[in-house]
Amino acid sequence: MVEPWQLAASANAIILVAYLAISLAIGRGLWRARQWRRNPLGLATAAIFFSCAVHHGSHTVHLMLPYFGWGMHSGIAMRHAFGSSFNVGWDLATAAVAVWYWTLRGRFPALVRGAAVFEDLRLRQAAEATLRASEERYRGIVETTSEGVLLLDGDGRIGYANSRFAEMLGRPAAGLPGTAVVDLVAEADRQVAERELAAAVEGGTRRLEVGLLRDGGRVMWAQIALTARAGDHGVLAMVADVTEQKNVEAQLRQAQKLDAVGQLAGGVAHDFNNLLTVIDGYAALLMARADEASSRDLTMIREAATRAGALTRQLLAFSQTQATEVRVVNVVGLVTGLEEMLHRLIREDIELVVTTAVPSLPVRADPGQLEQVIVNLAVNARDAMPGGGILTIATDHVDVGPELAAQLGGKPGEYALITVADTGDGMSAEVAARIFEPFFTTKEQGKGTGLGMSTVYGIVSQADGHIRVDSEPGRGTVVEVHLPITTAPAVEIPAQPMPQQLATGTETILFIEDDAAVRMLTERILRTAGYHVLSGADGRQALKIVRGNPDISLLVTDVIMPGMNGRQLADRITAMRPGLPVIFTSAHTRGVLTLNPDDPTVAFLEKPYTATGITQKVRAVLDARAASTPTN
């Protein structure tokens, strides 16, 4: 039969081994963590378990002494003390708890194999405070950055989105977590987004540019950098809004396209106007000796040439190379002066309202071109109101600040504002983005050339102005034209009817034109008017003629010529013959000609010109030269 002391000896031996193992495990954890000095709680815990192990070990030794013939008296006394069933039960229970504590080391290694559970509370609080400060610092950076920040899981769903990203999309930030990021991408870009996202999950960094769907269905352009996150299959996405940059790039491409087509249009118009000059000139000469029936046919030819000339002027206005007669014009007077004509242009079911906020708005512009701008805008507005409506043309004085100037692409300052508004069908954003493209029209075939708005754009740009269009389907269109105001007073020059007779004279004229047909026609016209004409095809011939003819009274030269342009030729000839008056002719000057409006002896004659027109211009310049020459 097993004696109670034997059970007690076994239990105390078990307690000895378990407590000693626990104290050594804790001590080893403290040693490895280098916390012997910084972790008094862990050190005290190891000491308690060690002292308990020694205590229960001493009980075991005393109970076993009689077996070895040592300490018989103390051993028998110890056996007697542990003969109580209560003491034996308590030691057995303590042994079971010690063994159970030791078995927990697999599930709770910090209890017996590490020192973290024993660390100083102050150290832990300090570490937690440092961690919170770090988290707040990085959260502040993430929340205040100008870019959107997303944390995506391996399936591409949003785990976290900063407030900036929510602002970009116009959505509440709370509704974004759990959303698949590809669902926020425009349909046309989703395939690219899915491919790049899958590649980023595999590792590395991917960059892409896609459209993101804003609240309401609008699209914003975004550049996204995708980076795989270390330690999981997630992805960090940095999102930058590049919508404005894309708009600027689109405007640049549009400007480059307009410039390229404008250069082409200017070149075509130059050659075409030479042909029109010949057609109209010979038709005019034939009319002088034609019968009534033939005269009517020739009149039709000249009217067709006039209409063709108007078309080339539109092309030149679009290309911004049309020769202009710039002077100070009162925008208010010009608009009110067009009111009667505009009433005839629009239908009776359209109400025309013309308002002026100030009495005078002086700007530097070609009045004829400015009238063309208003007429083109009015005609477009009329066509946009097939069922009738209200056409409003208003003028006002505005101060353009830096913000608006940046939107217009100009400089801050005082501007004359011409607003043309209609209550018509309006335009979609896609159509409005293309209205300045040459030959783009929404009208039926045969009802529009597509040059109206591109002409307006060219004229306004040539006058250092800016144009802005605001339109929505079903809500009409508002076109704003801004022209810089000048401090010089406007000079109203009354229009005079074109005389029908050739202006005659007997002076010697040097005429230089590289187009043979135009040269032959103009020689004939000037000789018919009584002038002595010396002609040449280029600058080299012109200089040779000047050297051999000292009695030349006037130089008439084309501007665009091979080898030496008209401006260069005039400079060389006037250096040889100071004070010689000059008339330049062209339809497309390509920016090489700038005239002084205060000098009447240097003039410009736009092609195509008529027989009456060139003789009148020649006579006017010669008379101005004579008036400016002092008499003895």
Side-chain angles (χ1 to χ4, degrees), residues 32 140 264 349 352 395 572 599 616:
R32 289 181 175 178
L264 174 63
D349 58 352
L352 175 63
T395 59
R572 293 189 62 175
D599 185 0
Q616 288 291 326

Side-chain angles (χ1 to χ4, degrees), residues 331-332 335 342 352-357 361 370 373-374 377-378 381 390-398 415-422 466-470 477-483:
V331 171
V332 176
V335 171
L342 293 176
L352 175 63
V353 178
V354 178
T355 62
T356 57
L361 292 170
L370 201 52
V373 167
I374 297 169
L377 294 177
I390 301 175
L391 169 60
T392 303
I393 303 177
T395 59
D396 200 356
H397 176 281
V398 293
Y415 283 78
L417 172 62
I418 304 173
T419 304
V420 180
D422 65 66
H466 312 282
I467 185 168
R468 184 168 63 174
V469 178
D470 182 17
T477 301
V478 177
V479 180
E480 295 181 345
V481 176
H482 292 78
L483 298 172

Side-chain angles (χ1 to χ4, degrees), residues 222-241:
Q223 283 184 349
I224 304 178
L226 301 172
T227 306
R229 291 158 54 191
D232 58 23
H233 294 289
V235 173
L236 169 66
M238 302 295 294
V239 184
D241 185 352

Side-chain angles (χ1 to χ4, degrees), residues 326-347:
V326 177
R327 61 174 181 262
V328 179
V329 181
N330 180 10
V331 171
V332 176
L334 185 140
V335 171
T336 54
L338 286 174
E339 186 172 0
E340 183 177 349
M341 184 185 73
L342 293 176
H343 275 292
R344 294 195 300 269
L345 281 176
I346 63 177
R347 300 184 306 274

